[in-house]
Amino acid sequence: MATSFLHAQRQITLNATPDEVWQRIGDFNGLHLWHPAVSASQLLAGSNNQAGAERLLTLGNGATIHERLLEHSDSQRLYRYGIIESPLPARDYQSLLRVEPAADGKTLVTWQAEFVADGASDDEALAVVEGIYADGLDQLRQLFAS
């Protein structure tokens, strides 16, 4: 039986410049500084913002997510990462966080992933991942509200 990848994506337009937004969210080991579900981030291996770096995210409920950085580009304002181990209902998970210019000096933030549902239906797995993205992007909206 073929395994099909699911595609999750959320976007938000912020009233800030791309550089301001990237400065806030472009640090691979800094997710805890802006995502409300993440209480801590610890670099386990490699150098921060260098491919191969690994972080351990601790969530508010004590659960942890172990991730590896696959690509990081300040010039393109993006990073890609994969999950090594997590309680999420997903496997073969790879994600992209990107910051791009939008109209009127604003900024478009896109957070997307491809993964296979694991331990949940496709719809349930998508809802979990997209919920995580929505919570983070809603927090960014508040941080950049003017």
Side-chain angles (χ1 to χ4, degrees):
M1 183 168 109
T3 302
S4 60
F5 277 85
L6 301 176
H7 302 276
Q9 178 173 303
R10 285 286 185 260
Q11 293 182 310
I12 190 170
T13 301
L14 299 172
N15 190 20
T17 68
D19 285 342
E20 289 169 330
V21 175
W22 184 245
Q23 186 170 6
R24 172 66 92 160
I25 72 172
D27 179 4
F28 178 65
N29 197 37
L31 190 61
H32 64 293
L33 299 174
W34 62 270
H35 197 294
V38 180
S39 59
S41 182
Q42 175 187 359
L43 206 60
L44 296 179
S47 299
N48 193 34
N49 297 336
Q50 300 294 314
E54 294 181 15
R55 69 183 176 191
L56 185 69
L57 303 175
T58 302
L59 307 181
N61 65 4
T64 59
I65 301 175
H66 184 182
E67 298 175 333
R68 178 179 293 121
L69 185 62
L70 304 172
E71 175 186 9
H72 186 282
S73 173
D74 285 326
S75 63
Q76 296 179 28
R77 295 187 204 94
L78 64 82
Y79 69 80
R80 287 182 205 280
Y81 63 94
I83 291 179
I84 297 169
E85 187 176 3
S86 86
L88 300 179
R91 63 179 167 81
D92 300 330
Y93 177 105
Q94 287 196 13
S95 185
L96 171 70
L97 184 64
R98 178 191 305 267
V99 173
E100 300 172 285
D104 301 323
K106 295 183 180 185
T107 296
L108 177 67
V109 178
T110 303
W111 203 352
Q112 63 192 48
E114 289 187 349
F115 60 92
V116 176
D118 187 22
S121 71
D122 288 0
D123 287 344
E124 290 168 335
L126 275 171
V128 168
V129 172
E130 290 183 343
I132 291 166
Y133 293 177
D135 289 348
L137 296 179
D138 286 347
Q139 179 69 19
L140 287 178
R141 182 192 321 272
Q142 294 174 30
L143 291 170
F144 287 102
S146 58

